[in-house]
Amino acid sequence: MASRSTDPRTGTGSSPTIDAVSLAIIEQLQEDGRRPYAAIGKAVGLSEAAVRQRVQKLLDQGVMQIVAVTDPLTVGLRRQAMVGIHVEGDLDPVAEALTGMPECEYVVMTAGSFDLMVEIVCEDDDHLLEVINKRIRTLPGVRSTESFVYLKLKKQTYMWGTR
């Protein structure tokens, strides 16, 4: 589990290589983030202490996080949208500014029609309009935006980490 290789997301050499046992632990936690270490150990063939150590190492390396995931609608966030952004010049300052906005849940640099794609979660349409019109479109370097407002969320999972 300790060897390092090139991170395909960044092209840098700092991404840990994860073995089959650690992947199995991650899978167990994706099914139930509160599953006891003893139960995980039984499922993957390790002691509770060994699972605890591996989980801590995965957390320390940034391989995973253990978080509570909410349904935005149930916590008063009724409007979601994906926003495609065209940027003039360097993408980094715009991407950094977007990562600082609490409404921007997902910021990714892309190849294709847009330079950046941003998922935004807001209270309502007025809030979404304020974020796009007053905060995103006014960032230096932002040339244009295109918004894709979510009408209905059909699938959202976090199980892709162990495929």
Side-chain angles (χ1 to χ4, degrees):
M1 183 166 106
S3 67
R4 299 239 183 234
S5 61
T6 300
D7 184 337
R9 297 166 298 173
T10 63
T12 61
S14 63
S15 179
T17 301
I18 309 303
D19 67 12
V21 174
S22 290
L23 286 174
I25 291 170
I26 292 169
E27 189 173 80
Q28 291 284 312
L29 288 168
Q30 285 178 324
E31 289 173 8
D32 179 357
R34 298 180 344 154
R35 183 166 288 155
Y37 290 149
I40 295 170
K42 189 172 186 176
V44 303
L46 292 177
S47 69
E48 180 180 349
V51 170
R52 185 180 316 281
Q53 282 184 323
R54 283 193 181 234
V55 167
Q56 190 59 54
K57 188 170 185 178
L58 292 166
L59 293 169
D60 292 346
Q61 291 176 328
V63 170
M64 68 175 191
Q65 298 174 342
I66 299 173
V67 299
V69 178
T70 60
D71 174 354
L73 294 174
T74 63
V75 293
L77 300 170
R78 296 180 309 276
R79 179 55 68 213
Q80 293 177 269
M82 186 65 70
V83 178
I85 303 173
H86 293 237
V87 175
E88 189 169 272
D90 189 1
L91 301 179
D92 283 322
V94 177
E96 285 302 315
L98 294 167
T99 63
M101 295 181 190
E103 296 88 353
C104 296
E105 296 294 328
Y106 176 81
V107 178
V108 63
M109 294 177 179
T110 64
S113 298
F114 298 102
D115 299 308
L116 298 167
M117 293 293 293
V118 181
E119 184 177 41
I120 300 175
V121 180
C122 293
E123 295 168 9
D124 54 30
D125 287 337
D126 289 336
H127 186 195
L128 178 63
L129 178 61
E130 185 268 327
V131 170
I132 294 170
N133 196 44
K134 304 278 190 221
R135 293 170 46 207
I136 293 177
R137 287 184 177 158
T138 60
L139 290 172
V142 171
R143 192 177 60 202
S144 65
T145 64
E146 185 172 347
S147 301
F148 304 89
V149 175
Y150 297 7
L151 298 176
K152 187 172 198 172
L153 184 62
K154 294 296 282 185
K155 180 180 181 181
Q156 182 173 8
T157 66
Y158 298 94
M159 301 298 287
W160 50 265
T162 59
R163 288 189 271 174

